[in-house]
Amino acid sequence: QVQLQESGPGLVKPAETLSLTCTVSGYSMTRGYYWGWIRQPPGKGLEWIGNIYHDGSTDYNPSLKSRVTMSVDTSKNQFSLKLTSVTAADTADYYCARDTGPSSGLGVDVWGKGTTVIVSS
Amino acid sequence: QSVLTQPPSASETPGQRVTISCSGSNSNIGSNYVHWYQHLPGTAPKVLIYRNNQRPSGVPDRFSASKSGTSASLAISGLRSEDEADYYCAAWDDSLSGPVFGGGTKLTVL
């Protein structure tokens, strides 16, 4: 059974960098698929942040691209998100997820439970 | 502003049928599969429908979905109180090379 678990600080100061890590269990990231971050600000819908492939190639949402960096550590079966220069608008529930891509027909099929990140001084 | 457009809310009485629409464009729904998720506060979104109209094992057949052109819809029949949740549509977007989501529809079972 594939499971994803987010970890990282729940409180980040404005203008600082938000850092989260997702640990994958039950599936080796090197087998394929995309690994992504999705967030949900309070009272709003789901927003895709970006995807990373096991070889390190990335795709980011253009609206966040200038502030986002994703990385992968296949030896630990983990991938990470860094979002710089955060503001209150970045306060959200952050989910890591497995995205099977456009061809499989399975969509984003496995989600972490999510972690709440609040941006406040 | 979400890429896919859903009504923000829907409501119906128990036992009745409700449909939720999802509108997109050629770069997402028009050329890729549509998926639907059920989301309860504080939990991970749950796959309700994949590949336009397929139900994962364990999802009741009260849930059904369809897609036509750049639009899709989710139908829930025989509504139950436990169906109260937020429902999201999603599809891969070829322009973004990533998934896009609807803004979510909050379903209330009256």
Side-chain angles (χ1 to χ4, degrees):
Chain A
Q1 181 184 1
V2 185
Q3 292 184 314
L4 283 70
Q5 177 67 59
E6 305 87 352
S7 59
L11 181 64
V12 181
K13 290 183 169 54
E16 294 192 346
T17 296
L18 179 160
S19 297
L20 296 174
T21 296
C22 182
T23 301
V24 181
S25 59
Y27 186 90
S28 172
M29 294 178 65
T30 58
R31 289 178 59 188
Y33 291 144
Y34 302 88
W35 305 90
W37 292 95
I38 295 161
R39 71 180 184 179
Q40 182 179 30
K44 297 188 178 182
L46 298 168
E47 179 183 32
W48 173 67
I49 300 170
N51 281 350
I52 189 165
Y53 200 58
H54 67 84
D55 63 359
S57 58
T58 55
D59 289 294
Y60 300 140
N61 189 322
S63 67
L64 298 167
K65 188 173 184 177
S66 63
R67 300 193 290 129
V68 171
T69 302
M70 294 178 62
S71 59
V72 62
D73 185 339
T74 54
S75 68
K76 295 181 179 179
N77 224 31
Q78 294 178 333
F79 61 104
S80 299
L81 167 71
K82 289 190 186 300
L83 181 65
T84 61
S85 305
V86 297
T87 69
D90 295 309
T91 293
D93 290 333
Y94 285 77
Y95 297 91
C96 61
R98 185 177 78 173
D99 187 341
T100 61
S103 303
S104 74
L106 301 176
V108 179
D109 67 338
V110 183
W111 298 68
K113 292 182 179 180
T115 187
T116 298
V117 178
I118 297 172
V119 178
S120 176
S121 55
Chain B
Q1 189 83 5
S2 299
V3 176
L4 305 182
T5 302
Q6 296 180 238
S9 63
S11 61
E12 191 48 88
T13 53
Q16 296 303 303
R17 183 176 186 269
V18 68
T19 61
I20 298 171
S21 62
C22 176
S23 178
S25 66
N26 288 329
S27 65
N28 42 67
I29 292 179
S31 52
N32 292 292
Y33 294 112
V34 177
H35 317 288
W36 291 89
Y37 300 91
Q38 181 188 60
H39 190 204
L40 293 166
T43 68
K46 170 188 173 183
V47 179
L48 205 59
I49 297 286
Y50 66 96
R51 205 173 286 158
N52 299 332
N53 56 18
Q54 302 297 302
R55 287 186 308 276
S57 60
V59 173
D61 60 6
R62 301 186 295 106
F63 295 89
S64 62
S66 63
K67 169 188 154 178
S68 178
T70 59
S71 295
S73 64
L74 172 72
I76 310 172
S77 60
L79 270 175
R80 305 173 69 162
S81 58
E82 57 259 39
D83 296 332
E84 276 204 350
D86 296 325
Y87 292 85
Y88 290 89
C89 59
W92 185 269
D93 191 291
D94 293 333
S95 300
L96 296 178
S97 293
V100 290
F101 297 89
T105 298
K106 184 176 184 61
L107 175 64
T108 301
V109 181
L110 300 170

